[in-house]
Amino acid sequence: MKNWKRRWALFLAAALLLALSLTGCGGSGEGPALSVCVGGAPEELDPIYATETADQTVLVHLYENLMRKTGDGSGGTTVTNGAAKSVSTEENADGTVTWTFKLRKAEWSDGRAVRAGDFVFAWQRLADPANDSPSASLLSVVAGYDAVRETGDVSLLQVTAEDDSTLVVVLNGKFDWFLTEVCTAPATMPLRQDLLQEETAAADGETAEAAA
């Protein structure tokens, strides 16, 4: 299992370096060079398992989440728009709060558009108890989270793609730290379901060959 996780992490690193560009450029020509001092070699590059500072530093520079933390000029941090170009909220009669994120135009570097569904997949994967992520509780404020943890049915998580550029999240109530903590965390950054499925199939094939 540990070897499989390591292969998964290496795949994610390669996929990020070769297939991800959330800068909005995503066009032809050479991509920008990236030099980052992380203090140590990263050990885990799967976003839902990365807990070490070095690992998260790499992920923050490779992905872009809905929001981003930046310096406020006085030694502190503030939150600004990342992949989301706008955010709106609506309080519902049952006490829940609906957050709607409109995504800006961006492409993965293979030319495929970054879609709201990429966030839905990532958040469902994070909440799934089968994945046993140490960061899963980040989504405990999202409506349906407890039901997902009890049943394993990730479709119960109230995170949906209204269309390719509109992500809708329903929270159990008012949580001012949702934008600053959940929407900037490495564990909630978008993922390509098609690429992960391809790697899963390849890993399963290797396991079958080794067992033969």
Side-chain angles (χ1 to χ4, degrees), residues 91-173:
E91 296 184 22
N92 305 312
D94 61 358
T96 61
V97 178
T98 299
W99 290 74
T100 301
F101 299 87
K102 291 290 186 180
L103 305 185
R104 62 183 175 84
K105 291 183 179 179
E107 294 180 348
W108 302 82
S109 59
D110 64 357
R112 208 212 76 175
V114 178
R115 302 167 183 164
D118 297 333
F119 285 94
V120 174
F121 170 68
W123 289 34
Q124 289 179 341
R125 182 171 178 263
L126 174 60
D128 189 346
N131 292 325
D132 194 27
S133 168
S135 301
S137 61
L138 276 172
L139 300 183
S140 60
V141 297
V142 179
Y145 173 82
D146 290 340
V148 173
R149 302 298 287 182
E150 291 173 4
T151 67
D153 183 357
V154 297
S155 68
L156 298 176
L157 192 70
Q158 293 194 37
V159 178
T160 57
E162 187 173 285
D163 54 46
D164 284 348
S165 61
T166 308
L167 179 70
V168 179
V169 181
V170 180
L171 302 187
N172 292 316

Side-chain angles (χ1 to χ4, degrees), residues 17 31-37 57-63:
L17 292 171
L34 177 67
S35 298
V36 180
C37 178
T57 298
V58 172
L59 291 171
V60 166
H61 284 81
L62 291 175
Y63 288 95

Side-chain angles (χ1 to χ4, degrees), residues 7 9 16 18 28 62 80 100 106-107 131 146-147 151 157 161 163 173 176-178 180 190 194 208:
R7 289 200 303 270
L16 289 170
L18 296 176
S28 59
L62 291 175
T80 59
T100 301
E107 294 180 348
N131 292 325
D146 290 340
T151 67
L157 192 70
D163 54 46
D176 294 337
W177 48 269
F178 173 63
T180 59
D194 57 332

